[in-house]
Amino acid sequence: MSSKIYGVAVIGLGLAGRIRVGDLTNSTSYDKIQWCLKGFVSRRSLEIEGVQQLAESEVFDRKDIDAILICTENGSHERLVRRGIENGKHVLCEYPLALSSRVAKEFFNLAEKKGVILHEENIGLLFNYKEQLDNSSIPWKHCDISVKGGYNGWIEDHENSGPPFVCNIGLVETVCHLCGDLKAVGGSFSNTESSFEAVAHLETPDKRTVTITLNRSKDCYAREKSIVFQLQDGSELNISPTKTSGAKPDLFLQDFHKFMDEIVSGRIDQEMKARTMRALEIAEDIHRLIMPKL
């Protein structure tokens, strides 16, 4: 076991943040890497047994905090990521890492300059979607991926939280992971006072097609995700979110382990970096087609 114990803090105590705090409290080591949860930051005054609530400034100023986990709403990601890197902290941030590819590139360059790790979380990619697709002996010709869900106070705020496919960049990252490089060729956007629908049409270099449909509504309370591939023989492959075979830790903890591996090695995951950047570029191309005035 390494003698180095990494101090970690969590910013944001929504659903993901609470899971992170629980994970880092119940587990304090992995493959000879040790950590200690120094505390959490929340706008609310909260009591969590055995965990200290910190002021935001403490997280960036304290020398015993090596890494921060950002689990806040999208609109605050850029401010917190920038402050973390500039203060020499390793940063794990929920997607989207930034609201534009330009800023994301700036962050990766700044992290390299400061000698810290910058990691974008996407636990959706830890499901064995790719394994299920690769196990099919019949090539696919079209993919439909859709998500339905409710409003939460910020996801519908396109100005501050990012336009639909940036705010929900995980969908774009998923199709990049499954289908390879893509380009935006069309789509649509419609909204009312209580809902919106965003549709993106994409295409692979060999002209196979992908449609991403995002529906959000005040009246929707349960989140639903669907990934369906139409195969060349006319059949369908419906991919379901199951864990990778043999995976034991929960998905958030698996993601944290990846982050710690990067910290110890001193190397940012280049596949993650390339996927993060490319997905934001694709999302921006989609929005230029469907929301040119945003």
Side-chain angles (χ1 to χ4, degrees), residues 27-67:
S27 175
T28 58
S29 66
Y30 150 74
D31 194 23
K32 300 183 180 180
I33 304 171
Q34 299 181 85
W35 60 82
C36 175
L37 179 61
K38 297 296 184 179
F40 68 90
V41 176
S42 175
R43 291 190 296 262
R44 297 164 292 164
S45 179
L46 300 172
E47 290 188 8
I48 300 177
E49 186 176 355
V51 186
Q52 183 181 6
Q53 182 162 6
L54 307 174
E56 184 181 296
S57 59
E58 288 184 78
V59 169
F60 301 105
D61 294 340
R62 280 176 48 169
K63 301 299 183 183
D64 63 337
I65 294 178
D66 303 288

Side-chain angles (χ1 to χ4, degrees), residues 146-153 155-156 192 194-196 214-225:
S146 65
V147 167
K148 294 180 180 180
Y151 281 2
N152 59 10
I155 203 164
E156 65 273 20
T192 67
S194 61
S195 68
F196 71 82
L214 173 64
N215 284 284
R216 291 282 185 173
S217 169
K218 287 182 179 179
D219 301 322
C220 182
Y221 302 101
R223 188 175 184 274
E224 299 178 12
K225 183 175 183 178

Side-chain angles (χ1 to χ4, degrees), residues 16-258:
R18 286 182 175 274
I19 292 173
R20 294 282 191 188
V21 167
D23 283 344
L24 301 181
T25 302
N26 296 327
S27 175
T28 58
S29 66
Y30 150 74
D31 194 23
K32 300 183 180 180
I33 304 171
Q34 299 181 85
W35 60 82
C36 175
L37 179 61
K38 297 296 184 179
F40 68 90
V41 176
S42 175
R43 291 190 296 262
R44 297 164 292 164
S45 179
L46 300 172
E47 290 188 8
I48 300 177
E49 186 176 355
V51 186
Q52 183 181 6
Q53 182 162 6
L54 307 174
E56 184 181 296
S57 59
E58 288 184 78
V59 169
F60 301 105
D61 294 340
R62 280 176 48 169
K63 301 299 183 183
D64 63 337
I65 294 178
D66 303 288
I68 61 172
L69 280 60
I70 298 172
C71 306
T72 62
E73 66 277 3
N74 294 2
S76 60
H77 286 187
E78 290 187 2
R79 176 181 64 82
L80 295 170
V81 169
R82 186 183 303 278
R83 191 173 179 187
I85 296 172
E86 288 177 342
N87 283 275
K89 308 299 184 185
H90 303 294
V91 176
L92 181 157
C93 183
E94 294 182 340
Y95 71 74
L97 175 67
L99 301 185
S100 72
S101 60
R102 177 189 61 81
V103 175
K105 181 179 181 180
E106 178 188 347
F107 285 164
F108 280 117
N109 289 340
L110 183 60
E112 183 176 356
K113 180 180 178 180
K114 291 285 188 177
V116 297
I117 296 301
L118 177 59
H119 175 96
E120 184 197 50
E121 169 268 312
N122 187 342
I123 62 169
L125 299 180
L126 297 177
F127 292 116
N128 67 343
Y129 294 140
K130 185 68 171 172
E131 181 181 332
Q132 293 178 60
L133 180 60
D134 290 346
N135 283 340
S136 172
S137 60
I138 304 169
W140 64 275
K141 61 181 181 180
H142 178 74
C143 172
D144 276 304
I145 179 169
S146 65
V147 167
K148 294 180 180 180
Y151 281 2
N152 59 10
W154 55 264
I155 203 164
E156 65 273 20
D157 182 356
H158 304 312
E159 182 175 350
N160 293 309
S161 298
F165 289 107
V166 169
C167 192
N168 295 268
I169 197 69
L171 294 178
V172 183
E173 292 191 13
T174 296
V175 295
C176 287
H177 176 64
L178 293 172
C179 305
D181 196 24
L182 300 156
K183 70 173 182 178
V185 295
S188 62
F189 176 77
S190 60
N191 67 326
T192 67
E193 290 184 358
S194 61
S195 68
F196 71 82
E197 178 183 80
V199 180
H201 299 304
L202 305 108
E203 177 177 283
T204 66
D206 60 0
K207 303 301 181 182
R208 290 182 289 178
T209 55
V210 176
T211 299
I212 310 175
T213 304
L214 173 64
N215 284 284
R216 291 282 185 173
S217 169
K218 287 182 179 179
D219 301 322
C220 182
Y221 302 101
R223 188 175 184 274
E224 299 178 12
K225 183 175 183 178
S226 171
I227 304 175
V228 179
F229 281 89
Q230 296 177 13
L231 306 182
Q232 289 185 1
D233 68 350
S235 63
E236 289 187 347
L237 176 64
N238 196 327
I239 291 181
S240 57
T242 57
K243 284 186 180 182
T244 300
S245 178
K248 291 184 180 180
D250 289 336
L251 296 176
F252 281 107
L253 191 54
Q254 286 185 55
D255 177 65
F256 179 74
H257 289 172
K258 287 177 175 287

